[in-house]
Amino acid sequence: QKLPSTNITRPYQSCSLQVAPGIERDRPVLGLPPKKGHWYTGMEYSHDNATRSELNPFFYGVTLVHKLKSYTYQADALSANLALNFSYYKTPQTYRVEWEPPAEDGTGGYIRWYTNGHFIYGITGANLNITGSEIPSEAMYLIMNTAVASSWGFPAPCPSGCDCECFECGNSDCECALPEGYCDNFPAS
C-alpha cells in the first residue's frame, strides 16, 4: 500500500533524529512535503532502487509544553522512510547507525543509517544550521520499535482463519496475523 505524498509503501522502516530547538513558524503540514525554505535541507537519501529512501512527511516533531512557559520548546523530527518488501521477513537483517559527534564548537558531526550494509539516510551538522541545533554530542540510545500493527501494513489482507485481533510472536492465536517468517527474525523466544 503506497503512502500518500511519497513513493514509499507499507510496511516501512523509519530512520529518525529528534532535534531541538526546532522550527517554530511556518512548519510543514503533516502528510505533505515541506515548502521550500521552511524545513531542513541537504539531508542525504538513498537513491539505489533496492534501498530507495524518502523524507518522512508524517511526523515533523511536536511542541513540548511545560508548566513554566520558558521551558516549552519545539522539537523537530528529521526522518526518512524505506519500504520493506517480503524478503525483510524471511531472513535476519543488519541495521547500523554511524555517529560522529560535532567538534567542541558545535560544528560538524553526522549521523548515518544503514540497512544490510546499504546507506539509507544521513544528516550532517550543516543540515541543522537553520535552527542552531547540532548533531548530539552527549550519550544517546537507539530505539528499535517493530511497530507491529495493522496500520503499519500487515497483514494485508488478514489471512483466512485468523482474526488479526493481536500481533504477537510465540502466541499461536496472534502469530497468524504476522507475515510468514516474521517471528523467525527475533532471536528471543
Side-chain angles (χ1 to χ4, degrees), residues 115-129:
T115 299
N116 297 325
H118 298 280
F119 172 80
I120 303 301
Y121 182 50
I123 301 171
T124 67
N127 303 138
L128 306 178
N129 286 344

Side-chain angles (χ1 to χ4, degrees), residues 37-143:
H38 291 268
W39 197 241
Y40 302 83
T41 59
M43 278 87 68
E44 301 173 85
Y45 300 88
S46 171
H47 298 292
D48 179 351
N49 283 339
T51 57
R52 183 177 184 81
S53 63
E54 292 184 19
L55 172 109
N56 176 3
F58 304 105
F59 183 65
Y60 291 113
V62 296
T63 300
L64 298 160
V65 179
H66 296 275
K67 285 183 182 180
L68 288 174
K69 189 172 180 156
S70 62
Y71 289 174
T72 295
Y73 63 95
Q74 178 66 48
D76 289 340
L78 308 178
S79 54
N81 294 336
L82 165 70
L84 302 178
N85 60 39
F86 189 67
S87 69
Y88 282 83
Y89 302 99
K90 296 299 266 178
T91 60
Q93 310 300 309
T94 303
Y95 301 94
R96 180 174 92 219
V97 178
E98 291 182 358
W99 167 51
E100 177 72 32
E104 285 191 33
D105 66 0
T107 61
Y110 63 84
I111 297 181
R112 295 185 185 120
W113 289 262
Y114 295 81
T115 299
N116 297 325
H118 298 280
F119 172 80
I120 303 301
Y121 182 50
I123 301 171
T124 67
N127 303 138
L128 306 178
N129 286 344
I130 191 170
T131 64
S133 294
E134 61 184 54
I135 296 295
S137 56
E138 65 274 0
M140 296 184 291
Y141 57 91
L142 179 68
I143 298 173

